[in-house]
Amino acid sequence: MTHDNRGHLVGDTRVREERHRRCVLFTTGVLILLGTSPVLVHHVGSELDQLLAGRDHLWELCVIALHQLLAPVHDVFHVLLVVGLLYATWDRARAWLGLRRVLRTLELRRTVPGDGFWAVAQRVGVPPGLLRIVDGLPNPAFTAGWLRPRIYVARELADVVSPDELGAVLAHEHAHVIRRDPARLSILRFVGCALFWLPALRRLAADVADDAEIAADDAAVHGRPLVLASAILSLAGWRVLGATTAAALAAVSGPRAAVAGFQRDALLDRRIRRLAGEAPAVVSHVTGRSLAAALAGLALVWTSGLAVAHPLPNPTAHHVVHSAVEPHCEHAHQSALSHLFCAAGHDRQPGQPCPHEASRRLPG
């Protein structure tokens, strides 16, 4: 039986946050599904092509002409998907290698029985073996590691905050470990890079990163929300003790390779106010412009995907005697653009040649 640590929330804050969280996850899943399925689904064996064969008109719209016009657009989305996957793989590999390189430059030590970090970790239920104490850490505390996440804490942190506040910070980071937030957010980053032509996905990933911080706050409260709020305020002004290390870590921190929630200014106000018993608004990173761009991209990929799913006739059918083939429409053998709308509503029989091919009727 799990214990709900959100007793500090007031009004309908919990309901609004849960609604926003479900909306973000649902929208993310829908965008991923709608963004990939039109590119891939018609390559999977199905009866869709047989069902559409010979059905060449949608009212006055010629589906054959639409297929030919949108086939290059559909090919572009294939290229974008491949480029996106390569870019996402490079981005994740760069983040992983960059984090390893930065951590190798830092002087890490484990906690041992008797030191202050060990005692505080034991008191708040954080396994001391997860802690790595670092001299001159740019961020006061963060969680990193995809398979085996660890909590990295600045040695100077114990001199800046009280033992209770230190316990709240460690409990917050431990919540990230339990939820596997570094791996989860990294996967979202991968998907956002792979489908880079849907900018709303990247912004939804930022919403998920915000929710991860909120959930970690709730897990770390332990009935004393103001202690965590005080710790967040103390660490908001943390200044880096090494510019080179800070710049390197900044390239791979946050939702890219680590979870570092104490220096994200845009989120600090919301976190502190909700811990103080207020009801701050839940603001999304998704903008109207990014959503409009995503809808336009989805409309284009789906239109081209459905058009290409309609099969063109077999080119070998041109071996038939052309003089015996009736024209598909009144403007047969013209360009696909001029053939997009047909006044005559005939349907081609399966096996007949495509009317847009540059074949010529034999003289009769």
Side-chain angles (χ1 to χ4, degrees):
M1 180 177 179
T2 59
H3 177 67
D4 194 337
N5 289 329
R6 294 179 292 180
H8 57 285
L9 300 183
V10 298
D12 64 344
T13 302
R14 181 185 309 184
V15 175
R16 289 186 289 107
E17 290 179 347
E18 289 290 348
R19 186 186 302 123
H20 175 263
R21 185 174 295 113
R22 287 194 297 268
C23 181
V24 167
L25 294 178
F26 175 77
T27 307
T28 300
V30 168
L31 285 180
I32 294 172
L33 178 64
L34 295 182
T36 56
S37 54
V39 181
L40 304 174
V41 73
H42 73 278
H43 294 292
V44 180
S46 68
E47 297 182 357
L48 181 61
D49 52 348
Q50 288 84 1
L51 181 64
L52 296 176
R55 302 177 184 272
D56 300 328
H57 286 85
L58 182 64
W59 295 286
E60 294 187 354
L61 179 67
C62 179
V63 182
I64 289 180
L66 190 65
H67 179 134
Q68 293 185 330
L69 288 172
L70 293 181
V73 177
H74 185 70
D75 292 339
V76 167
F77 280 109
H78 276 83
V79 174
L80 290 179
L81 182 59
V82 173
V83 171
L85 289 173
L86 293 175
Y87 168 58
T89 302
W90 172 81
D91 178 80
R92 296 295 80 222
R94 181 174 68 97
W96 181 72
L97 293 173
L99 182 64
R100 286 176 59 88
R101 182 173 58 252
V102 169
L103 293 179
R104 280 199 301 265
T105 65
L106 301 175
E107 295 184 8
L108 309 177
R109 69 173 178 85
R110 297 173 180 264
T111 56
V112 294
D115 78 13
F117 287 100
W118 178 284
V120 172
Q122 289 277 53
R123 180 166 53 83
V124 296
V126 177
L130 294 177
L131 300 183
R132 300 293 183 269
I133 312 304
V134 187
D135 287 324
L137 190 65
N139 285 311
F142 67 91
T143 301
W146 297 340
L147 298 179
R148 294 185 298 173
R150 296 289 183 265
I151 300 171
Y152 297 87
V153 184
R155 181 189 58 79
E156 298 83 2
L157 183 59
D159 301 327
V160 176
V161 297
S162 69
D164 286 341
E165 291 173 342
L166 177 59
V169 171
L170 296 183
H172 173 99
E173 296 303 328
H174 187 224
H176 286 310
V177 173
I178 294 174
R179 290 164 45 87
R180 299 280 178 177
D181 281 334
R184 208 162 51 89
L185 298 179
S186 186
I187 291 172
L188 280 176
R189 169 77 182 189
F190 180 90
V191 174
C193 290
L195 298 177
F196 63 92
W197 49 275
L198 294 176
L201 260 181
R202 297 281 286 274
R203 294 183 174 272
L204 286 169
D207 282 353
V208 175
D210 286 354
D211 287 338
E213 294 301 326
I214 295 299
D217 282 349
D218 290 339
V221 163
H222 296 310
R224 304 173 67 185
L226 293 182
V227 173
L228 179 58
S230 175
I232 294 173
L233 280 174
S234 298
L235 301 183
W238 186 274
R239 289 299 172 259
V240 174
L241 301 180
T244 303
T245 303
L249 186 59
V252 294
S253 63
R256 303 181 61 159
V259 178
F262 293 101
Q263 288 187 307
R264 297 172 59 189
D265 295 338
L267 189 59
L268 287 177
D269 179 69
R270 176 187 169 193
R271 294 175 64 192
I272 293 172
R273 288 178 59 193
R274 68 191 297 279
L275 290 170
E278 299 182 29
V282 181
V283 180
S284 174
H285 292 265
V286 179
T287 62
R289 180 177 298 181
S290 66
L291 191 57
L295 292 176
L298 290 177
L300 195 56
V301 70
W302 268 90
T303 303
S304 62
L306 290 174
V308 172
H310 176 275
L312 292 178
N314 191 336
T316 59
H318 283 273
H319 293 301
V320 301
V321 179
H322 294 290
S323 59
V325 178
E326 293 296 326
H328 175 67
C329 297
E330 295 176 356
H331 39 242
H333 310 312
Q334 296 180 13
S335 68
L337 184 60
S338 64
H339 200 251
L340 187 58
F341 294 98
C342 302
H346 340 286
D347 278 336
R348 166 180 55 83
Q349 295 298 318
Q352 286 184 347
C354 176
H356 303 293
E357 296 287 346
S359 58
R360 296 180 179 178
R361 301 171 61 128
L362 297 177

